[in-house]
Amino acid sequence: MADNLRFDGRVVIVTGAGGGLGKSHSLFFGSRGASVVVNDLGGSHTGEGASSRAADLVVDEIRAAGGKAVANYDSVLDGDKIIETAMKAFGRVDIVINNAGILKDVSFARMTDQQWDAIFSVHVDGAYKVTRAAWPIFRKQKFGRVINTTSAAGIYGNFGQANYSAAKLALVAFTRTLALEGKKDNIHCNVIAPIAASRMTETVLPPDMLASLKPEMVTPLVAYLCHEETAENGSLFEVGAGYVGKLRWERTGGHGFPIDQKLLPEHISEKWGKITDFEDGRATHPDTTAESMESILSNFENTSKADTEAVRPKVISEDGKVDVEAAKALTFPSESFSYTERDVILYNLGIGAKRTDLHLVYENSEAFTAVPTFGVVPSFAAMNGVPFGEILPSFNPMMLLHGEQYLEIIRPFPPNAQLTSTPYVVDILDKGKGCVATIGVKTTDEEGNDICINEFTMFIRGAGNFGGKKEGADRGAATAANKTPNRKPDHVVIEKTGEDQAALYRLSGDWNPLHIDPEMAAVGGFDIPILHGLCSFGIAGKHIFNAYCNNDPNSFKNIKVRFAKTVNPGETLETSMWREGNKVLFQVRAIERDAIVISNAAVELQGDASMSSKPKL
Ligand code: NAI
């Protein structure tokens, strides 16, 4: 194999490089073209004494082999002096390998403050000091690589090493945070938990084992991670005797208790099996604090009403397969929703109605009505009660994208009413990388008359491969492709959304913090809180209602859209409409970005409106 991973022109600092792993790292970097600062205080393995000999010998060896190296004898606690040595000798620093370490093993019962502090000082403060001194240089030159050295003791704990193991795990957290902060400046930081024969291990491991545990079997991973072309960042590896493996956190699916009921230790006891079960197919691997918070945040919606799990049959089997037919047979709690003219006006304003649209904003107007897309509003609370974690394998709410919406109006909305909405599973399709789940919500009035039906189609990334079918049954208008014709649109309406559009729209009951809280938007990967998909849906629905329905809610039979891209509040939306038979096919474009945000969309008309083909302008 060609040795093409070179480090010519790079300057590497290796701390604690007088022996063991640090020596091996230094020799290797020296042999691959790097200039090496060989740092070592030269004390004993418990941190006593000092000598320049250890570092000098390694420098001599690198030079004898034709490499470039200088020695530094400072303690890692004087990190700035080590960086100074590099700058004086070579004029730059590219790579820092925090490797220096000592041991002060003693059982916790006998540990002194001195033993505790000395370990934290060398391992944690030392890594901090050296890296901190190099950091501004890294940032300025937009390149830096840091390797920290942890230990299995830090990851798993080890008898007699409370000080060492705690300090070593601190380095893992240090690495992960630096990786996040350094990323934008091309500074990558990784951490290794090595095993190698050295003076540190020679008293604890048997000689035949030590013979196979050469430091040279650890160094290649360090070199790979430090190469300019390696993208790995923030990762932890176990390495030794030729084995290299990456570690991550694993968390059980756990159990969410209802948020509106007092939580007692007895409840914890009752669910202990579930809380601690890694094998039930629900375990996840959170990789960021945001991902770690997802389960906690999603439990905000877990109210005692929603917690009817005890009586619901299991849909996901032990091996993660989903019984879609069993999911379809599940029943979920109904939610009641009552509204008045005030709520209708609030909704209409939320989808951009103007004060001059009297039929939409003035309850005494003769033509006063809800824009028919108001039909999504009664379903919000019912949708919140659907326990997605029970019907979808590996469900993660932050991976959920609202893909399509279908709304069928069976009876127009009176100005005020008391309604009941009941969710159900329409279908769950297995798309490999994710799943497509369609949840229906039927809304009825007090007499039990059907008012409207919603179908929310969601794509949940990472929740696929559960052995389900790929294609669903034809559900008529709900699944229609609604391709726009190849001619200029018959009618176009342009409307600028308000900067406060989402803040207003959410008052109609779609409380997802993604649309108001910048921090939550960032968790979802957005620069600012985005507009609700169903708000743009309502805006477009309003355009069609105004243009083609003569203000007659009876003429609006159903609407289906696909959410192609997100919309930012303040953007200008352009709804293009094509009349085809009794359908108005349409699409919505965000003009500033020239992005189609709603596609494959249509409103089906009925009654008088379906007869006239001209829009009312
Ligand atoms: P080692 O004792 O040969 O190397 C450590 C070096 O750090 C020594 O040369 C020592 O003089 C130097 N040092 C100590 N305090 C210093 C300070 N304040 N300033 C500058 N240099 C200082 O031991 P080894 O095994 O090569 O250890 C290297 C690193 O790997 C350490 O951080 C150790 O904790 C870690 N490690 C090693 C394992 C192994 O199996 N060898 C297992 C897990 C972790």
Side-chain angles (χ1 to χ4, degrees):
M1 188 184 288
D3 56 350
N4 54 1
L5 291 183
R6 302 270 319 166
F7 295 88
D8 302 290
R10 297 285 181 205
V11 176
V12 184
I13 291 174
V14 184
T15 70
L21 286 160
K23 176 179 174 182
S24 164
H25 301 336
S26 302
L27 294 175
F28 186 82
F29 278 106
S31 74
R32 288 288 175 108
S35 304
V36 188
V37 176
V38 179
N39 157 267
D40 208 297
L41 189 62
S44 72
H45 80 285
T46 53
E48 279 83 30
S51 139
S52 59
R53 202 178 136 71
D56 286 343
L57 288 175
V58 176
V59 168
D60 291 348
E61 206 173 324
I62 293 174
R63 288 185 180 158
K68 293 180 281 281
V70 293
N72 171 284
Y73 319 115
D74 291 304
S75 165
V76 280
L77 290 168
D78 292 315
D80 46 350
K81 290 192 186 155
I82 303 175
I83 301 302
E84 212 178 294
T85 301
M87 294 306 280
K88 271 198 184 139
F90 305 118
R92 57 185 294 139
V93 180
D94 300 288
I95 297 167
V96 165
I97 302 187
N98 289 310
N99 167 78
I102 56 169
L103 287 177
K104 288 201 182 286
D105 293 359
V106 58
S107 69
F108 188 57
R110 293 174 45 216
M111 186 165 295
T112 63
D113 289 355
Q114 194 276 332
Q115 287 163 328
W116 177 268
D117 293 342
I119 289 294
F120 268 77
S121 176
V122 174
H123 292 273
V124 184
D125 299 356
Y128 158 69
K129 290 279 189 184
V130 180
T131 314
R132 183 67 191 84
W135 202 253
I137 301 171
F138 286 169
R139 289 186 62 193
K140 202 162 161 216
Q141 71 197 15
K142 299 275 181 246
F143 180 84
R145 294 287 183 268
V146 179
I147 298 292
N148 291 318
T149 311
T150 183
S151 158
I155 304 167
Y156 309 107
N158 199 22
F159 196 93
Q161 294 192 319
N163 50 358
Y164 179 79
S165 58
K168 283 304 199 190
L169 190 60
L171 291 173
V172 176
F174 179 57
T175 304
R176 292 190 65 96
T177 298
L178 291 197
L180 295 173
E181 293 189 14
K183 195 173 164 195
K184 65 176 188 313
D185 293 317
N186 190 22
I187 307 172
H188 296 172
C189 191
N190 292 287
V191 52
I192 60 160
I195 296 193
S198 75
R199 64 182 192 173
M200 241 188 213
T201 43
E202 69 191 0
T203 51
V204 267
L205 296 174
D208 52 336
M209 239 180 125
L210 288 169
S212 318
L213 289 169
K214 295 190 178 63
E216 291 74 19
M217 298 301 257
V218 171
T219 297
L221 169 67
V222 172
Y224 172 75
L225 291 171
C226 291
H227 197 263
E228 60 200 21
E229 274 166 23
T230 302
E232 194 74 30
N233 192 17
S235 304
L236 165 62
F237 299 88
E238 287 184 334
V239 52
Y243 169 80
V244 183
K246 179 169 169 173
L247 274 83
R248 62 178 176 180
W249 291 103
E250 184 173 24
R251 182 177 63 194
T252 64
H255 180 74
F257 297 94
I259 199 160
D260 57 346
Q261 282 187 356
K262 198 168 175 181
L263 185 60
L264 300 170
E266 290 73 16
H267 294 127
I268 306 281
S269 162
E270 193 190 329
K271 295 289 178 193
W272 195 244
K274 207 172 159 199
I275 291 168
T276 56
D277 190 349
F278 282 98
E279 312 300 333
D280 62 2
R282 298 184 312 123
T284 55
H285 300 96
D287 195 40
T288 60
T289 50
E291 281 179 28
S292 115
M293 273 168 61
E294 283 160 9
S295 303
I296 290 171
L297 291 178
S298 65
N299 202 54
F300 282 17
E301 287 165 6
N302 180 2
T303 59
S304 46
K305 226 177 195 175
D307 192 50
T308 50
E309 176 205 19
V311 292
R312 274 200 292 267
K314 227 174 149 184
V315 166
I316 306 173
S317 65
E318 296 298 323
D319 58 357
K321 300 262 179 292
V322 177
D323 183 343
V324 176
E325 292 311 311
K328 288 185 190 172
L330 291 179
T331 54
F332 304 116
S334 298
E335 288 286 343
S336 60
F337 171 78
S338 61
Y339 67 92
T340 65
E341 289 83 349
R342 188 179 174 282
D343 302 288
V344 169
I345 295 170
L346 188 62
Y347 174 78
N348 289 344
L349 288 171
I351 58 167
K354 302 284 174 293
R355 71 181 168 82
T356 45
D357 299 327
L358 289 187
H359 63 298
L360 303 181
V361 299
Y362 182 39
E363 69 283 7
N364 290 329
S365 160
E366 258 182 47
F368 179 65
T369 182
V371 174
T373 50
F374 178 74
V376 297
V377 175
S379 67
F380 290 151
M383 275 300 285
N384 287 343
V386 177
F388 286 103
E390 282 174 43
I391 54 175
L392 303 176
S394 325
F395 175 68
N396 180 339
M398 296 296 155
M399 301 300 240
L400 185 151
L401 298 170
H402 192 170
E404 294 188 344
Q405 183 74 19
Y406 171 72
L407 166 66
E408 186 179 332
I409 314 287
I410 301 165
R411 279 163 192 249
F413 292 93
N416 55 67
Q418 164 93 38
L419 304 176
T420 303
S421 295
T422 312
Y424 53 92
V425 174
V426 177
D427 212 350
I428 306 173
L429 302 176
D430 187 345
K431 298 286 185 184
K433 281 186 181 160
C435 81
V436 170
T438 301
I439 306 293
V441 181
K442 186 184 239 189
T443 299
T444 54
D445 66 12
E446 278 179 297
E447 280 82 50
N449 299 311
D450 292 349
I451 297 291
C452 65
I453 289 173
N454 275 279
E455 287 189 11
F456 295 75
T457 295
M458 287 149 306
F459 187 75
I460 299 114
R461 289 168 285 165
N465 288 326
F466 58 80
K469 59 187 167 58
K470 263 190 150 55
E471 299 298 331
D474 182 6
R475 303 195 311 282
T479 46
N482 297 326
K483 290 261 183 288
T484 53
N486 212 357
R487 64 168 195 270
K488 274 178 67 183
D490 304 332
H491 187 51
V492 175
V493 177
I494 292 176
E495 175 170 343
K496 183 161 170 36
T497 62
E499 296 285 343
D500 307 318
Q501 199 81 55
L504 182 60
Y505 178 79
R506 64 193 294 273
L507 300 181
S508 287
D510 193 343
W511 298 108
N512 187 339
L514 178 67
H515 305 290
I516 187 83
D517 183 340
E519 281 182 23
M520 292 311 298
V523 168
F526 300 105
D527 295 339
I528 57 164
I530 55 169
L531 195 61
H532 304 68
L534 285 177
C535 180
S536 354
F537 162 89
I539 292 171
K542 181 189 67 183
H543 294 159
I544 292 154
F545 182 60
N546 282 343
Y548 285 97
C549 295
N550 293 324
N551 290 338
D552 174 12
N554 277 307
S555 60
F556 199 104
K557 188 175 178 203
N558 61 50
I559 174 168
K560 168 181 166 213
V561 307
R562 177 174 298 165
F563 297 110
K565 285 210 168 70
T566 57
V567 176
N568 293 327
E571 287 185 324
T572 310
L573 299 181
E574 172 198 73
T575 307
S576 301
M577 306 168 219
W578 291 262
R579 182 66 196 262
E580 289 279 296
N582 66 341
K583 270 185 166 184
V584 178
L585 298 158
F586 68 100
Q587 69 178 27
V588 180
R589 187 168 72 98
I591 292 183
E592 289 83 353
R593 278 179 292 136
D594 189 22
I596 301 296
V597 293
I598 288 181
S599 66
N600 299 72
V603 168
E604 212 175 324
L605 303 170
Q606 61 186 1
D608 290 348
S610 65
M611 302 300 157
S612 114
S613 62
K614 288 253 173 295
K616 182 175 142 281
L617 303 173

